[in-house]
Amino acid sequence: DTGVSQNPRHKITKRGQNVTFRCDPISEHNRLYWYRQTLGQGPEFLTYFQNEAQLEKSRLLSDRFSAERPKGSFSTLEIQRTEQGDSAMYLCASSFPSGSFSYEQYFGPGTRLTVT
Amino acid sequence: GDSVTQMEGPVTLSEEAFLTINCTYTATGYPSLFWYVQYPGEGLQLLLKATKADDKGSNKGFEATYRKETTSFHLEKGSVQVSDSAVYFCALIGGSQGNLIFGKGTKLSVKP
């Protein structure tokens, strides 16, 4: 168990550019979540996958955001035409396959995005 | 919708002091409740959890009891250490797909 990994750890981009982040969950986990955390705030839910199916998207996820999990393993989060308001820490979490939602979500270290 | 409110920080304590961080929630039904901790430069880690009313979660000397009547899940530790300095987040499972809903976090600094 190597934990949840995210790449890159830091990304600086200019406004209007596209960026893509990657998350590799713990291998036996079939649930994968993306969250966004801004300074001084708790993480906010963006979207959720069960296996390769994207089952829920927050209204925070504008049309410029897209997420995929093509083979039910790693996931990518792409932001098109970045804006300064997109600057945040993007967190990925995964959890065990279970009918219960009380299982722990394991978080990755996050990708810090700075849009200049 | 579901929400979590926790006391604002920062909280500064001397080593061996008693810690309480208040957390209250608003939710339909009886959600599972969590405390996560974020140490400087590290990712979020689960500290403890409780899944039903009157459950007490505990870990590393920290405790929190799920109080349905007051919709609270306050975090306590009898004697804090410098190594406990971190940001603490209260959270509940909300939404139709089990996503976490977090409070804003409370930064704790423990001085020797």
Side-chain angles (χ1 to χ4, degrees), chain A residues 70-86:
Chain A
K71 296 183 180 179
S73 56
F74 72 91
S75 175
T76 58
L77 178 68
E78 181 183 16
I79 308 175
Q80 296 183 328
R81 306 181 303 281
T82 52
E83 300 173 357
Q84 288 190 321
D86 297 331

Side-chain angles (χ1 to χ4, degrees), chain A residues 33 35 42 45 48 56 102 105, chain B residues 36 49 96-100 103:
Chain A
Y33 299 82
Y35 295 85
F45 169 70
Y48 159 70
E56 184 159 345
S102 66
Q105 291 182 24
Chain B
Y36 277 82
K49 71 177 185 182
S96 59
Q97 299 295 344
N99 54 283
L100 288 162

Side-chain angles (χ1 to χ4, degrees), chain A residues 33 35 37 40-43 45 48 55-56 91 101-102 104-105 107-108, chain B residues 32 34 36 38 44 46 49 51 89 93 96-100 102-104:
Chain A
Y33 299 82
Y35 295 85
Q37 184 179 17
Q41 302 294 317
F45 169 70
Y48 159 70
L55 297 185
E56 184 159 345
L91 300 170
F101 288 123
S102 66
E104 173 180 356
Q105 291 182 24
F107 282 81
Chain B
S32 295
F34 303 82
Y36 277 82
Q38 191 169 37
L44 280 166
L46 179 67
K49 71 177 185 182
T51 58
F89 293 93
I93 290 284
S96 59
Q97 299 295 344
N99 54 283
L100 288 162
F102 287 87
K104 291 186 176 182

